Coordinates of all heavy atoms in Angstrom, one line a residue:
C9 N 10.0 -2.6 6.7 CA 9.4 -3.9 6.4 C 10.7 -4.9 6.4 O 11.6 -4.7 6.9 CB 8.6 -3.9 5.1 SG 9.5 -3.4 3.6
L10 N 10.4 -6.0 5.7 CA 11.6 -7.0 5.5 C 12.5 -6.7 4.5 O 13.6 -6.6 4.8 CB 10.8 -8.4 5.4 CG 11.8 -9.6 5.2 CD1 12.6 -9.8 6.5 CD2 11.0 -10.8 4.9
G11 N 12.0 -6.5 3.3 CA 13.1 -6.5 2.2 C 13.3 -5.0 1.8 O 14.2 -4.7 1.0
N12 N 12.5 -4.1 2.2 CA 12.6 -2.7 1.8 C 12.4 -2.5 0.3 O 13.2 -1.5 -0.3 CB 13.9 -1.9 2.3 CG 14.0 -0.4 2.2 OD1 15.0 0.1 1.9 ND2 12.8 0.2 2.4
I13 N 11.7 -3.3 -0.4 CA 11.5 -3.1 -1.8 C 9.9 -3.0 -2.2 O 9.5 -2.5 -3.2 CB 12.2 -4.0 -2.7 CG1 11.7 -5.5 -2.3 CG2 13.7 -3.9 -2.7 CD1 12.2 -6.5 -3.3
C14 N 9.1 -3.5 -1.2 CA 7.6 -3.5 -1.5 C 7.0 -2.5 -0.6 O 6.5 -1.4 -1.0 CB 7.1 -4.9 -1.4 SG 7.8 -6.0 -2.6
R15 N 6.6 -2.9 0.7 CA 5.7 -2.2 1.6 C 6.2 -0.9 2.0 O 5.7 0.2 1.9 CB 5.2 -3.1 2.7 CG 4.4 -4.2 2.4 CD 4.3 -5.2 3.4 NE 5.6 -5.9 3.6 CZ 5.9 -6.8 4.5 NH1 4.9 -7.0 5.4 NH2 7.0 -7.3 4.8
S16 N 7.6 -1.0 2.6 CA 8.0 0.3 3.2 C 8.4 1.4 2.2 O 8.1 2.6 2.5 CB 9.2 0.1 4.2 OG 10.4 -0.5 3.6
Y46 N 18.7 -8.3 2.1 CA 18.6 -8.9 0.9 C 18.7 -7.9 -0.3 O 19.0 -8.2 -1.4 CB 17.2 -9.6 0.7 CG 16.7 -10.5 1.8 CD1 15.4 -10.6 2.2 CD2 17.7 -11.3 2.4 CE1 14.9 -11.5 3.1 CE2 17.2 -12.2 3.6 CZ 15.8 -12.2 3.8 OH 15.4 -13.0 4.8
H47 N 18.2 -6.7 -0.1 CA 18.0 -5.8 -1.3 C 18.7 -4.4 -1.2 O 18.2 -3.4 -1.7 CB 16.5 -5.6 -1.7 CG 15.8 -6.9 -1.9 ND1 15.9 -7.6 -3.1 CD2 15.0 -7.7 -1.2 CE1 15.2 -8.7 -3.1 NE2 14.7 -8.8 -1.9
D53 N 10.6 -2.8 -5.8 CA 10.1 -3.8 -6.8 C 9.3 -3.2 -7.9 O 8.6 -2.2 -7.6 CB 9.2 -4.6 -5.9 CG 8.7 -5.9 -6.6 OD1 7.6 -5.7 -7.5 OD2 9.1 -7.0 -6.3
R55 N 6.5 -3.8 -9.2 CA 5.1 -3.8 -9.0 C 4.8 -2.6 -8.1 O 3.6 -2.0 -8.1 CB 4.7 -5.1 -8.4 CG 4.9 -6.2 -9.4 CD 4.8 -7.6 -8.8 NE 5.9 -7.8 -7.9 CZ 6.1 -8.8 -7.0 NH1 5.1 -9.9 -7.2 NH2 7.1 -9.0 -6.3
T56 N 5.7 -2.3 -7.1 CA 5.6 -1.2 -6.2 C 5.5 0.0 -7.0 O 4.8 0.9 -6.7 CB 6.7 -1.2 -5.2 OG1 6.6 -2.4 -4.3 CG2 6.6 0.0 -4.1
M88 N 5.7 -2.6 9.3 CA 4.5 -3.0 8.5 C 3.7 -4.2 9.1 O 2.4 -4.3 8.9 CB 4.9 -3.3 7.2 CG 5.6 -2.2 6.5 SD 4.4 -0.8 6.2 CE 5.3 0.5 7.0
D89 N 4.3 -5.1 9.8 CA 3.6 -6.3 10.4 C 4.3 -6.7 11.7 O 5.3 -6.2 12.0 CB 3.5 -7.4 9.3 CG 4.9 -8.0 9.0 OD1 5.8 -8.0 9.9 OD2 5.0 -8.6 7.9
Q90 N 3.7 -7.7 12.2 CA 4.1 -8.1 13.6 C 5.6 -8.6 13.6 O 6.3 -8.5 14.6 CB 3.1 -9.3 14.1 CG 2.7 -9.2 15.6 CD 1.5 -8.5 15.7 OE1 0.5 -8.6 15.0 NE2 1.5 -7.7 16.8
S91 N 5.9 -9.3 12.5 CA 7.2 -9.9 12.3 C 8.2 -8.9 12.2 O 9.2 -8.9 12.9 CB 7.1 -10.9 11.2 OG 8.4 -11.1 10.7
N92 N 7.9 -7.8 11.5 CA 8.9 -6.6 11.4 C 9.0 -6.0 12.9 O 10.1 -5.7 13.2 CB 8.4 -5.4 10.4 CG 8.0 -5.9 9.1 OD1 7.1 -5.4 8.5 ND2 8.7 -6.9 8.6
D121 N -7.1 -6.2 11.4 CA -5.9 -6.9 11.4 C -4.9 -5.8 11.5 O -4.8 -5.0 10.5 CB -5.7 -7.8 10.1 CG -4.5 -8.7 10.2 OD1 -3.5 -8.4 10.7 OD2 -4.6 -9.8 9.5
N123 N -1.7 -6.3 10.6 CA -0.6 -6.5 9.7 C -0.9 -6.0 8.3 O -2.0 -6.1 7.7 CB -0.4 -8.0 9.5 CG 0.1 -8.7 10.8 OD1 1.1 -8.3 11.4 ND2 -0.7 -9.7 11.3
V124 N 0.2 -5.3 7.7 CA 0.2 -5.1 6.2 C 0.8 -6.2 5.6 O 2.0 -6.5 5.7 CB 0.9 -3.7 5.8 CG1 0.9 -3.5 4.3 CG2 0.3 -2.5 6.6
P125 N 0.0 -7.1 4.9 CA 0.5 -8.3 4.4 C 1.7 -8.3 3.3 O 1.7 -7.2 2.6 CB -0.6 -9.1 3.8 CG -1.6 -8.1 3.5 CD -1.4 -6.9 4.5
D126 N 2.7 -9.1 3.3 CA 3.7 -9.1 2.5 C 3.3 -9.5 1.0 O 2.8 -10.6 0.8 CB 4.8 -10.0 3.0 CG 6.1 -10.0 2.2 OD1 6.1 -9.5 1.1 OD2 7.1 -10.5 2.6
P127 N 3.2 -8.5 0.1 CA 2.8 -8.8 -1.3 C 3.7 -9.4 -2.3 O 3.5 -9.8 -3.4 CB 2.4 -7.4 -1.8 CG 3.5 -6.5 -1.2 CD 3.9 -7.1 0.2
Y128 N 5.0 -9.6 -1.8 CA 6.1 -10.0 -2.6 C 5.8 -11.4 -3.5 O 6.1 -11.3 -4.7 CB 7.4 -10.2 -1.8 CG 8.6 -10.6 -2.5 CD1 9.1 -9.5 -3.4 CD2 9.4 -11.8 -2.4 CE1 10.3 -9.7 -4.0 CE2 10.5 -11.9 -3.0 CZ 11.0 -11.1 -3.8 OH 12.2 -11.1 -4.5
F129 N 5.2 -12.4 -2.8 CA 5.0 -13.6 -3.7 C 3.5 -13.6 -4.3 O 3.2 -14.7 -4.8 CB 5.2 -14.8 -2.8 CG 6.6 -14.9 -2.5 CD1 7.1 -14.6 -1.0 CD2 7.6 -15.3 -3.2 CE1 8.5 -14.7 -0.6 CE2 9.0 -15.5 -3.0 CZ 9.3 -15.2 -1.6
G130 N 2.9 -12.4 -4.3 CA 1.4 -12.5 -4.8 C 1.4 -11.7 -6.1 O 2.4 -11.5 -6.8
S131 N 0.2 -11.3 -6.6 CA -0.1 -10.7 -7.7 C -0.2 -9.2 -7.5 O -0.1 -8.6 -6.4 CB -1.4 -11.3 -8.3 OG -2.5 -10.9 -7.3
D133 N -2.9 -7.6 -7.6 CA -4.1 -7.2 -6.7 C -3.6 -7.1 -5.3 O -4.1 -6.2 -4.5 CB -5.1 -8.4 -6.7 CG -5.9 -8.6 -8.0 OD1 -5.7 -7.6 -8.8 OD2 -6.6 -9.5 -8.2
G134 N -2.6 -7.8 -4.9 CA -2.1 -7.7 -3.6 C -1.5 -6.4 -3.4 O -1.5 -5.8 -2.2
F135 N -0.8 -6.0 -4.4 CA -0.1 -4.7 -4.3 C -1.2 -3.6 -4.1 O -0.9 -2.6 -3.4 CB 0.9 -4.4 -5.4 CG 2.1 -5.1 -5.3 CD1 2.3 -6.5 -5.5 CD2 3.3 -4.4 -4.8 CE1 3.5 -7.1 -5.3 CE2 4.5 -5.0 -4.7 CZ 4.6 -6.4 -4.9
R137 N -4.1 -3.9 -2.9 CA -4.7 -3.9 -1.5 C -3.7 -3.3 -0.4 O -4.2 -2.6 0.4 CB -4.9 -5.3 -1.1 CG -6.3 -5.8 -1.6 CD -6.8 -7.3 -0.8 NE -5.8 -8.2 -1.1 CZ -5.8 -9.1 -2.2 NH1 -6.8 -8.8 -3.1 NH2 -5.0 -10.0 -2.3
V138 N -2.5 -3.5 -0.7 CA -1.4 -3.0 0.3 C -1.5 -1.4 0.1 O -1.4 -0.6 1.2 CB -0.1 -3.5 0.0 CG1 1.1 -2.7 0.7 CG2 0.1 -5.0 0.6
M141 N -4.4 0.0 2.0 CA -4.2 -0.2 3.4 C -3.2 1.0 3.9 O -3.5 1.6 4.9 CB -3.5 -1.5 3.7 CG -4.4 -2.6 3.9 SD -3.4 -4.1 4.3 CE -4.5 -5.3 3.7

Side-chain angles (χ1 to χ4, degrees):
C9 60
L10 176 61
N12 190 219
I13 54 168
C14 298
R15 292 165 293 176
S16 62
Y46 312 145
H47 300 286
D53 187 284
R55 297 161 296 177
T56 298
M88 296 298 116
D89 67 23
Q90 219 94 43
S91 159
N92 307 146
D121 180 335
N123 296 302
V124 179
D126 187 346
Y128 188 62
F129 294 105
S131 64
D133 287 356
F135 279 76
R137 274 196 298 276
V138 163
M141 280 178 200

